[in-house]
Amino acid sequence: YTSLFTLEMVLKILSRGPRSFFCRKDVSWNLLDAFIVSTSIVEVVLDLAARSRSNSNEDQGIAGTSSQFRILRMLRVTRLIRGIRVLRLVRFIRALRTLVHQIVSTVKSLVWALCLLVMIIYLFALWFCQAAAAEFNGRVDIAAALAQGTESPLLLHWSTVPRSMLTLFQAITGGVSWIEVARPLSDLSFLLV
């Protein structure tokens, strides 16, 4: 992150110029960025120095490095200051609020559209299930045939209301071909297809 923040600040200075970077209306934000970047660079340098020193002098005690770690802990607090940069977005809150309101309004319409879709699927599933039940009326025990693993496409797709709803949902979303599930219905009546 330090390299990315440093690159961002250097690009800002190069694009706007040093005078513009430190003397415009955003000078407080730019100084905060400069402070965060400089303390992050110092933290990285001290961390690398502590690692190289600990690798070369593993025999020495911990007392010399404890003060360095205290400094590193204090510098890490500056990472929390990076969160203050989010306050720059305050300017855009009105647009963000409008965007969120529009999304919520759209979600309400989506919920009602899904309710309508479920009702339509339910009504057609009920109609197709009644047609299938009328075909097998008294001749076939539907529950026993399904338990035995029947091969009849009419029973597999249209024997119960939940199974019919699932078949219609799969046909809508491309999970199963409509031709495959409509063929047994077309054998019953041309009005069902």
Side-chain angles (χ1 to χ4, degrees):
Y1 290 113
T2 301
S3 60
L4 291 176
F5 281 124
T6 305
L7 179 67
E8 177 191 9
M9 190 178 83
V10 167
L11 288 175
K12 278 184 188 178
I13 291 173
L14 291 176
S15 67
R16 296 180 184 171
R19 178 178 238 178
S20 176
F21 185 78
F22 291 109
C23 298
R24 282 225 170 147
K25 63 180 180 179
D26 290 340
V27 68
S28 58
W29 291 112
N30 292 338
L31 289 175
L32 178 66
D33 285 345
F35 175 73
I36 291 171
V37 167
S38 62
T39 55
S40 296
I41 290 172
V42 169
E43 179 184 1
V44 168
V45 168
L46 287 176
D47 191 34
L48 290 174
R51 285 185 187 175
S52 68
R53 183 181 276 171
S54 68
N55 287 341
S56 63
N57 299 328
E58 288 182 354
D59 300 343
Q60 296 178 355
I62 304 175
T65 60
S66 66
S67 63
Q68 291 175 353
F69 286 122
R70 195 174 311 135
I71 292 171
L72 283 176
R73 276 189 232 126
M74 288 173 41
L75 287 175
R76 287 185 180 154
V77 171
T78 60
R79 285 186 181 176
L80 296 175
I81 297 174
R82 290 179 188 165
I84 295 173
R85 296 180 77 196
V86 175
L87 294 177
R88 285 186 179 188
L89 297 175
V90 170
R91 292 182 240 166
F92 306 111
I93 285 186
R94 180 181 227 174
L96 183 64
R97 195 176 318 145
T98 303
L99 182 66
V100 169
H101 176 69
Q102 294 300 321
I103 290 172
V104 169
S105 298
T106 304
V107 168
K108 280 195 265 184
S109 299
L110 177 68
V111 168
W112 286 115
L114 288 176
C115 286
L116 180 64
L117 181 66
V118 168
M119 287 189 318
I120 291 170
I121 288 175
Y122 177 74
L123 289 174
F124 276 93
L126 203 64
W127 184 31
F128 295 152
C129 185
Q130 283 179 344
E135 174 68 22
F136 295 114
N137 191 12
R139 291 186 297 142
V140 176
D141 182 17
I142 295 174
L146 289 175
Q148 293 174 0
T150 183
E151 296 290 324
S152 170
L154 189 61
L155 279 175
L156 285 175
H157 298 295
W158 309 109
S159 58
T160 63
V161 174
R163 191 176 291 258
S164 298
M165 288 179 72
L166 177 65
T167 301
L168 288 172
F169 179 74
Q170 288 176 335
I172 290 170
T173 59
V176 67
S177 172
W178 176 247
I179 295 171
E180 177 184 321
V181 295
R183 185 168 290 126
L185 292 175
S186 67
D187 293 341
L188 297 178
S189 172
F190 71 93
L191 294 174
L192 295 174
V193 183

